[in-house]
Amino acid sequence: MTELAAPVRASVAAPVPGAGGVAPAARGRGAATSGPAEADWSAAVAAIREHAPAGRVLLICHVNPDGDALGSMLGFGLGLRRMGVSQVQATFPGEFEVPEPFVALPGMDLLVPEPQAYPDPDLVIVFDVAAESRLGGLVDRLAPAKAAVVLDHHASNTGFGGINLVDAEAAATSVVAEELLSRLGVPLDAGIAECLYVALATDTGSFKFDMTTPRVHEMAARLIATGIRPGDISRRIFDTRPFGAMKLFAEVLARAALDPTAAGGHGMVWTHVTQADLERHGQRPYVMDALIDPVRTVAEADVAVLVKQLGEAEWAVSLRSKGAVDVSAVAVAMGGGGHRLAAGFTGYGTPGDVVVAVREKLDQFLI
Ligand code: 5GP
Ligand code: MN
């Protein structure tokens, strides 16, 4: 399988696409507009070679982890195991609940709840986290470590790690993870590949979004060449949900509202989902995350907004654009972050308050 993958790899292993023309010096903290500098790749490889083999390694991804966060973290963790690293833990902040579609991912045995994570790791590696706020209480683990390496692909990444491998042109954090494994000399196996594939498929919307470049399909080809089953994986991750979730979706979609005059006439569609909705249908919070997908299909709206209840007057807000608005600018202005066409923030008040606030910000950030 490795033989099959090798020639494909060679065509993209040379200078990282997107890195051309940008001097390493121009890529400072917080200015992540292209691939990591060679010096940062080398520093990450050196830190892992120095601290991982005999040390405690803690892998961390963002709160409320998605397929890219979990997949890139667990895939990399399995890669470290293949290197012979014996003390590896993976964790994320907050409630220790893995969304049902991901519970069968290889490498799940690496996962521990936040309170059980090494208090004093030698090496910390962070996945898919744009800002320290997304690390919750686990941010404490970074300072005591001998090295803290951040793998990410958010343009808004603040450069909070000691070593930052941030590629804003990568479709998923797993693209960065695969490159780092390759530079460490770790070959792909089916377990690693399944994790990285789930991450890549999640963040490209099943290879549908604009960032689905030749580089993405080349990576998918390398992963599939290990023998993984894309059909089975996609059905499990994207196309399976409990009956109660389907009934919940029907209710939440029925209350959606559309204003074609919002966002400078590009249109906005929105809806919200409450804790009571979840309870009524016996569903866990993760099922809310998939609801943005049907909302964003609405032809009359460039912008889709899903307001998901977190607490009494606290809401996780998902923003999507088809291209007329930079929703990451809206999210950052509201204290969150993300990408140009997919972003989020935490809002307060009623769902109506949150929607009004988004509408007000939208006109400022038309592309
Ligand atoms: P989603 O709407 O799927 O939760 O998130 C879409 C994108 O926005 C993801 O890249 C995610 O990392 C980012 N995002 C969502 N919520 C927040 C937030 O509260 N803060 C930050 N910094 N980014 C967020
Ligand atoms: Mn991601």
Side-chain angles (χ1 to χ4, degrees):
M1 295 303 177
T2 316
E3 293 78 8
L4 257 184
V8 185
R9 174 99 218 128
S11 67
V12 290
V16 182
V22 180
R27 298 191 212 111
R29 286 168 66 95
T33 53
S34 65
E38 265 312 305
D40 293 326
W41 285 116
S42 304
V45 168
I48 291 167
R49 292 227 168 100
E50 182 179 352
H51 301 300
R56 291 172 304 272
V57 184
L58 183 61
L59 313 180
I60 310 175
C61 71
H62 61 73
V63 64
N64 185 24
D66 60 10
D68 189 28
L70 284 170
S72 57
M73 175 171 76
L74 296 179
F76 197 84
L78 290 172
L80 289 176
R81 270 198 184 148
R82 278 206 71 148
M83 285 176 67
V85 178
S86 57
Q87 299 180 84
V88 192
Q89 290 182 337
T91 192
F92 54 86
E95 195 187 345
F96 189 62
E97 181 173 354
V98 176
E100 181 64 27
F102 305 128
V103 295
L105 274 181
M108 281 295 293
D109 58 307
L110 293 164
L111 269 186
V112 297
E114 174 176 354
Q116 285 169 34
Y118 299 129
D120 52 353
D122 297 288
L123 174 64
V124 172
I125 310 179
V126 179
F127 297 84
D128 206 37
V129 172
E132 280 167 300
S133 59
R134 306 270 284 162
L135 285 174
L138 286 163
V139 72
D140 291 354
R141 307 300 207 282
L142 268 63
K146 294 174 185 124
V149 184
V150 173
L151 278 62
D152 188 32
H153 69 130
H154 292 89
S156 61
N157 189 288
T158 59
F160 63 90
I163 301 166
N164 297 291
L165 300 179
V166 180
D167 185 350
E169 293 183 6
T173 294
S174 71
V175 173
V176 182
E178 192 219 10
E179 174 75 26
L180 186 55
L181 286 174
S182 165
R183 286 171 181 257
L184 285 162
V186 180
L188 294 175
D189 60 26
I192 298 171
E194 179 166 339
C195 291
L196 299 184
Y197 187 88
V198 164
L200 192 62
T202 299
D203 268 24
T204 57
S206 296
F207 306 96
K208 284 189 294 196
F209 299 158
D210 266 351
M211 83 268 277
T212 309
T213 57
R215 185 183 176 197
V216 165
H217 279 297
E218 284 160 2
M219 175 169 162
R222 289 191 294 277
L223 300 176
I224 294 169
T226 65
I228 61 169
R229 305 279 302 259
D232 291 349
I233 294 171
S234 298
R235 190 166 49 254
R236 178 156 42 84
I237 301 296
F238 302 113
D239 297 336
T240 302
R241 60 180 56 93
F243 184 66
M246 187 191 69
K247 304 287 273 186
L248 168 72
F249 277 33
E251 250 179 58
V252 172
L253 295 178
R255 69 170 77 114
L258 169 71
D259 182 353
T261 68
H266 294 285
M268 172 171 138
V269 59
W270 67 92
T271 190
H272 71 278
V273 52
T274 65
Q275 302 282 351
D277 295 329
L278 289 178
E279 279 160 30
R280 207 165 47 253
H281 292 286
Q283 296 305 305
R284 303 295 306 158
Y286 79 84
V287 306
M288 299 192 289
D289 293 337
L291 261 166
I292 189 66
D293 292 319
V295 179
R296 55 188 276 280
T297 61
V298 171
E300 296 88 343
D302 182 85
V303 177
V305 182
L306 175 66
V307 183
K308 302 172 275 190
Q309 189 168 31
L310 293 174
E312 176 65 26
E314 191 182 353
W315 306 84
V317 185
S318 288
L319 303 173
R320 300 291 186 271
S321 165
K322 293 179 187 145
V325 179
D326 178 356
V327 287
S328 74
V330 174
V332 168
M334 304 291 292
H339 310 279
R340 239 167 42 92
L341 304 183
F345 68 93
T346 301
Y348 301 92
T350 65
D353 295 337
V354 174
V355 168
V356 167
V358 170
R359 283 189 61 133
E360 284 175 4
K361 285 272 174 285
L362 276 175
D363 292 341
Q364 294 171 28
F365 298 108
L366 292 173
I367 293 171

